[in-house]
Amino acid sequence: MTDLTVSVGDGVAVLTLNSPQRRNAYTGEMGALLNAAYRDCDDDDEVRVIVVTGAGDAFCAGADFSASASAFASTTDSFTASPTDPAAFELRTPVVAAVNGHAIGIGLTIALQADIRIMATDAKYAVAQSRRGVIGDCMSHWTLPHLAGGTVAADLLLTGRTFDGAEALAMGIATRTVPAAEVLDEAMSVARDIAINVAPMSAALSKRLLWDTMTNGYRPRQVARLETEAHRRVMGSADAREGVAAFLERRSPRWTASVSREWEVLPDLGS
């Protein structure tokens, strides 16, 4: 058994947190495996979308407290509150979190880094770290206010309270919610649609511009400059011609651009 399993098919990599007997409680080993899988998938042109989910009936119940000593009992110079490296939003590949059950603490803050979150309506969620004597991690003090606003972020980070999928949707944390048994199927449907119908370079450029805009606080005219820069990279390309041809011929497109070989970062315009 490994704390993370990886399967790849039809352009979609499914990364499964795989410790169902502990409700996929987060460990350092699980985190290292997730980091490695993120990097490997992002460098593989056969992977066009990443889906992250949990084995069994939970996504991730938070930090693993099964050891004799508390996970928060001590710290070292090498400690980091952001063990997800790279974060999902730092990848070029779109990431869909299939939050199939309870996501507490780091279980939720990892999911907050995804581009799209399909969440179980009847599961429980919390950024509960403040109730354990620590604070929210995985850049949640940035992801939460950017995704759901400062009012929601203050509520969840300062109270550590529990909420369900319906409230997650209302707050803007969930992209959509479905019954737990349908979460992975729904996430896979979204992922396969992207993998087939969205040009990989277009997805990579759009994702980077979206998150860079949030990170750097770009103003509208700065975004316009970067959109123009991104368009100049793809307009007239084989995939731009193929996208139009496939639409007119009513067939699935056959994308040929290689993100791993052709990628160039967008310029940093500053804030």
Side-chain angles (χ1 to χ4, degrees):
M1 293 288 289
T2 176
D3 282 349
L4 184 88
T5 64
V6 180
S7 64
V8 180
D10 299 324
V12 180
V14 180
L15 314 184
T16 304
L17 308 179
N18 187 45
S19 184
Q21 71 279 12
R22 300 195 312 272
R23 290 195 160 183
N24 306 316
Y26 180 90
T27 65
E29 174 67 14
M30 179 183 288
L33 292 169
L34 181 61
N35 292 344
Y38 273 167
R39 293 189 188 98
D40 289 346
C41 290
D42 204 42
D43 288 335
D44 185 351
D45 285 330
E46 295 303 311
V47 175
R48 295 183 175 176
V49 185
I50 298 168
V51 173
V52 183
T53 193
D57 61 1
F59 180 75
C60 174
D64 186 4
F65 294 146
S66 63
S68 57
S70 168
F72 306 142
S74 63
T75 187
T76 64
D77 289 342
S78 62
F79 169 78
T80 175
S82 295
T84 45
D85 182 18
F89 58 74
E90 293 175 314
L91 304 176
R92 297 164 297 193
T93 309
V95 179
V96 180
V99 188
N100 56 301
H102 304 322
I104 307 297
I106 196 170
L108 180 58
T109 58
I110 286 174
L112 291 173
Q113 296 182 344
D115 304 299
I116 297 170
R117 279 164 299 284
I118 311 300
M119 302 176 70
T121 306
D122 49 350
K124 299 299 183 184
Y125 309 106
V127 188
Q129 286 88 329
S130 61
R131 297 189 177 218
R132 309 292 181 261
V134 289
I135 67 171
D137 47 30
C138 293
M139 304 181 232
S140 54
H141 290 78
W142 180 82
T143 54
L144 265 174
H146 278 83
L147 295 172
T151 300
V152 169
D155 176 15
L156 300 184
L157 290 166
L158 300 183
T159 71
R161 69 177 181 85
T162 300
F163 54 98
D164 62 13
E167 190 173 1
L169 183 63
M171 290 188 293
I173 291 172
T175 304
R176 69 194 67 158
T177 58
V178 296
E182 300 174 17
V183 166
L184 184 56
D185 285 345
E186 181 71 14
M188 292 299 292
S189 177
V190 172
R192 288 180 180 126
D193 179 55
I194 295 172
I196 294 170
N197 295 306
V198 177
M201 188 65 75
S202 297
L205 286 167
S206 186
K207 172 174 177 170
R208 187 72 278 122
L209 179 54
L210 172 66
W211 286 97
D212 282 356
T213 295
M214 291 198 294
T215 303
N216 298 318
Y218 290 148
R219 296 182 297 276
R221 286 297 174 186
Q222 290 177 299
V223 175
R225 286 171 56 192
L226 290 173
E227 286 179 343
T228 300
E229 166 77 15
H231 270 89
R232 284 174 173 158
R233 296 187 188 184
V234 293
M235 289 181 72
S237 68
D239 279 356
R241 294 191 296 272
E242 170 63 12
V244 174
F247 172 75
L248 294 175
E249 296 167 16
R250 297 184 179 181
R251 58 171 174 80
S252 297
R254 296 183 287 270
W255 309 118
T256 56
S258 168
V259 174
S260 67
R261 294 192 302 272
E262 300 170 28
W263 178 254
E264 296 178 29
V265 297
L266 290 169
D268 183 355
L269 301 181
S271 58

